[in-house]
Amino acid sequence: MAENDGAGGARDGANGAFSVAGGQQVAFTGVMMTHELTVEVSNPPLAGTGQQAAHWVRSGLVLAPASLGAGPTWTLWSAPEGGLAVVDGALSVPEGATSYALEPADAVPGDVAADFPALAGDVPLTLEPGASRAELERALTGQLMLTRVDGATLTAATGVQLPGVLDDLYSGDSAKRTFGVTWDNSGHRASFALWAPTAQDVTLLAWPAGASLVDAPRRFPAQRQADGAWTVDGKAADKKLDWDGVRYRYEVRVYVPATGQVETNVVTDPSSVALTTGSTHSVAIDLDDKAWRPQAWEKAPQPKVRPVDQTIYELHVRDFSISDETVPAPLRGTYLAFAQQGSAGMTHLRALARAGMTTVHLLPTFDIATVPEDRAAQRSPGDLSGFAPDSSQQQAAVAAAQATDGFNWGYDPLHWSAPEGSYAVRADGGQRTAEFRTMVGALHQAGLQVVLDQVFNHTAADGQAPTSVLDRVVPGYYHRLDPATGAVQTSTCCSNIATEHALAGKLMVDSVVTWARDYKVDGFRFDLMGHHSRQNMLDVRAALDALTVTKDGVDGSKVYLYGEGWDFGEVAGGALFEQATQGNLGGTGIGTFTDRLRDAVHGGSPVDGSTVFKQGFGTGLYTDPNGLPSSRGNAGTVNDGGDDELADLRHQTDLVELGLAGNLRSFTLVTGAGETKRGDELDYNGQPAGYADSPEEVVTYVDAHDNETLFDLGILKLPVGTPMADRVRMNTVSLATTALAQTPSFWHAGTDLLRSKSLDKNSYDSGDWFNAIDWTGQDNGFARGLPMQADNGDRWELEGPLLADPALKPAPADIAAAQAQALDLLRLRSSTRLFRLGSADLVNAKVSFPLAGPSATPGVITMLIDDTVGPDVDPALKGALVVFNASPSSATQTVPALAGRRFALSPVQQQGADPVVRTTTYDATTGTVTVPPRTVAVLLQK
C-alpha cells in the first residue's frame, strides 16, 4: 500500500493518479493518507452529502445510485477513527485514511440484482484489483465514504451501507458457528462467541457468580476469528474460574456512523439465554443443567397435533392469572401460575382441552424492553371500580401508571432467546428458565401444546439507545435501512430488522431452534411475517426439521409455523425479496392468518377506522340493519337493509364460504352473483381471495389480541337494541365460522366468555384494568370506562353512550351460555375429521355449498361435507350438513340432492347446552332442514 505525504489534491481521471497540490502525483491503489487532504468542490450542493446512498455489496463491488451522477472517477474511502467529511466546500480526509479506486462496470451482475432487487438499477463500481482481504476487513472497521470527482471538482460524496459485503466476506463460515455461550462436558468451562466483524476490539467483561455488579469486572480480551467472530475460551482465559453463573457483558470498540466516531459500547450478548433481573447483564448458564430442568417439564409428554387439527387459544401470560384470586398472590401474572392445577384459569384451560382445544399460543415471552422485571417495583393504578362505566378516569389512571404497571403485550424485543423476566417470580439467571419450563410442562400435562409468539421483524430500539443491543455490536448491519439516507426503516412500528441479511437471519433461526429444542415448544407464530423472506421461513423450517428425538429430544418436524402474512412497508410487493406473505408460501405447510373470512364476518377491516359501524355476515349486514352510517363520517350511507347491502352480503357470504373451505385458490364455488369461480378468481379488495395450496397454510380467526374483541365488535355493529341473548348467539355464530373451517382455528383468549376490553381497539399498553380475564365468568370486562385516549379518543363520543347502557353489560348467566355454546363448537370440531380433511384434494372433492348463488337465503350458509365422495375419511359417517343462520329469522333450506339421505342433529348438540339448536328439524324425504334464528346447526348422516 503506497503512502501519500502530500497536503491535498484532486483525482486526475486521465492517468489514474491523484493530483496533489504542487503537482505531485500519487498512485491511487489503496492509498494510505498520512496527512489531512482537502479537495475543492463545486458551488452546487454535492449529490449524496449527508446520506448513506452507496452500497458495498460484494468484496469487489460497490453500487451507487444514478442520482449521484455519471462519470469515471470514483473513490471508496475508509477512515479508522472517522473524520471523513465535506466541510466548507472541501473534502476533509483525516490522517490514516485509506482509499480505493473504483471503475464503472456495464451492468449490475445478475446474482447481485437477484439479491438486491431494489438496487438493480444502480451504477456498478468495481474495486481496483490487488487489495487483500485483510485490507478490506480493516477498511470495514472505519468510516466509509464514496466520492466522485469530475476533473478537479468533487461532485458526489455519500456514506456507504455495508451489510452486503459483510455477508459476502463472513456469512459462509459464520453460519457454522454457535454464538453465545457453549460448554464443555464439565458444565463449568464456557466458551464465548460474538459476531462483530466491524469491531476494532472486543473485551469480555465478567463478574463471577456471587460477585457484586457494582464491582469492577474481570477483563478477558477476545480474539478475532476469520468469520468475523470474537471469541474467548474460558478454560484458556482462567483455568480456575467456575464460569457457571458468571454475569457478563461485551465491551465493543466500533465505529458508529450515527455518531461519526469510534464508540466503546458495553452491551449484553445478543445470543443470551439467561439474564440478570432487569436484563442489564447476560448470565452464563448451561440449559442442560439439571438445576434448570424441572422434572414435571422433563416428564410431561408433548401432545401430538396435525397442523390442520390445530385449535389455538391466544393468551397473554399476565392476563391469564393477574386477577385470578384462586392463584396465590405472589404467583399471579407469572409463569408459575400455570402450575396451579386447581386455579380457575387452569380449570378453564383443561375444560377447553377436553372439548377439543389443542394449543395455547402465548403472546411474546422472550425478553422485552418495556416492563420492569423487578416485581416489587411494579405499581398498579389500584381499584378503579368506583368510576362510572363511561368515565375517562379509569384510562387516565392506567396511563399514569404505564411505565411501572407491569403490563405490555411485549412486542418490543430486547433478547430473543431468553425468557422475559417480569413473568418470573425469580428472574435472575437460570431461575426464569426453570419457571418458564414449569409453565410449558404444566400446559403439556393439561393436554395442550405451546406456541410462542416471535417478533423478529423489529427491535425496541436502534443506534446508541440503551435498549439497542444489535446495533451497538454491528452498527448498520442488523436493521433495514433506507437505501438512500441510511435511516432505519420503521414500517413495522419500530426499528425494522433485516432478516434478509445472513447473520440476522441466523439469529432468527438459532433462536427458534433454542425454544423448540431446549424448552420443548410445539409451534411458533411470527409477527409481521411478511417482513421476512420466504427463504427465512424455509430456513427456519429446515432447521426445525433437522431436530430429532434421538439427537435433540424433540421431533422438530412436528413443530407448526404460522404468522401474519401482511404485505406492506418498504418490502411490499417483493421490493427487496420474495416475502413470506399470503399466497407466497404454497407448498411449505406454513400458515398465514386470513383477513378474508375475518372481514366478511365483522363487516370491513378492523384497521379501517371508517368501518366502525359497517356490518358483516356475523354482525347483521342486510338482515338486521343497525341504522347507523356504514362508513364513519358519511351520514348519507346508512345500514338500512337496502339492495346495496344485499349485494354486499352476498359477496361477504362468498368469502365466508371460501374460508370455510380452507381459503384454497383451487376451490370452486357459485358466487352470490351467480358466477362459478375458483378461489383465486374471487375478489378481496382487488386481491385474489383464495391463496392457499393446502388448508394448513391458512389460519382462520374472527378476533385476536389486536383490535376490538368479538363481543365489542358486536356492541358497535349490531343494532343497539339487540337483546343480550341474541348477542350471545351471534358471538357463537361468528366463532363457528372458524371452529368449523377446514383450517387451523384460532381463538382470542376469553372470546368464549364474551371477553370485552371496554371497546379498546389497541390494548397493548392498557394495563390489567382493561386486559385481565375473569375465568369465573362473573364479569366480561365491558363498561370498565372509556378506553385509552391515545388510540380511542376520537371515538369516545360514540363509545360513551354504549358503555353507559346497562343493557349492554352481560350478566354471569349470559357469559355462562356463551361459554357452553363455545365448548360445544369445540366438541363439534373435534368429534369428526370431516371438519379437518387435511388436503386440498379432499376439500375440493367433499366440501360444497349446494344452495350458494343469487337465490340463497340472505345471512344463511349451507355447507355439505360429503364423505360418500372419494376416500372414506370418517368411517362412522357418510357426511355432515352444517347450516350457519346469522339472520334474525328461522331459515328453511332445501337441498334436493339430499332427499332420501338421513341426517340428524349431531349428538354434541342434541346433548349440548343450547336448547334452541335442538329445535332444528330435518325432512329426509325432501332434504329440507329448518334452523332457528342466529344458530349454527350441525347434522350428521351415520
Side-chain angles (χ1 to χ4, degrees), residues 777-795:
Q778 299 305 298
D779 186 343
N780 78 327
F782 185 73
R784 290 188 179 177
L786 287 166
M788 304 303 291
Q789 185 173 22
D791 287 300
N792 304 275
D794 62 334
R795 300 197 324 193

Side-chain angles (χ1 to χ4, degrees), residues 308 310 659 661-663 695-696 698-700 738 741-745 829 835:
V308 78
Q310 290 281 354
N663 217 71
E696 78 275 7
V698 168
V699 176
T700 303
T738 177
Q742 293 289 336
T743 69
S745 176
R829 176 177 173 83
F835 290 119

Side-chain angles (χ1 to χ4, degrees), residues 785-826:
L786 287 166
M788 304 303 291
Q789 185 173 22
D791 287 300
N792 304 275
D794 62 334
R795 300 197 324 193
W796 277 3
E797 62 179 319
L798 309 174
E799 295 168 336
L802 298 173
L803 294 168
D805 187 345
L808 297 180
K809 176 79 172 176
D814 301 313
I815 298 171
Q819 180 185 8
Q821 291 173 29
L823 289 172
D824 282 349
L825 290 178
L826 290 172

Side-chain angles (χ1 to χ4, degrees), residues 74 200 211 301 310 316 318 398 435 577 606 609 706 830 852 872:
W74 298 83
Q200 298 181 7
Q310 290 281 354
H316 186 276
R318 187 175 174 95
V398 171
E435 293 186 18
F577 43 74
D706 280 321
S830 61
D872 189 357

Side-chain angles (χ1 to χ4, degrees), residues 318 322-323 378-387 393-402 404-406 766-772 784:
R318 187 175 174 95
I322 196 64
S323 65
Q378 295 174 3
R379 295 291 180 265
S380 166
D383 183 4
L384 306 176
S385 59
F387 296 109
Q393 295 300 308
Q394 296 96 323
Q395 66 85 36
V398 171
Q402 280 176 331
T404 58
D405 68 355
S766 299
D768 301 324
W769 181 253
F770 291 103
N771 283 286
R784 290 188 179 177

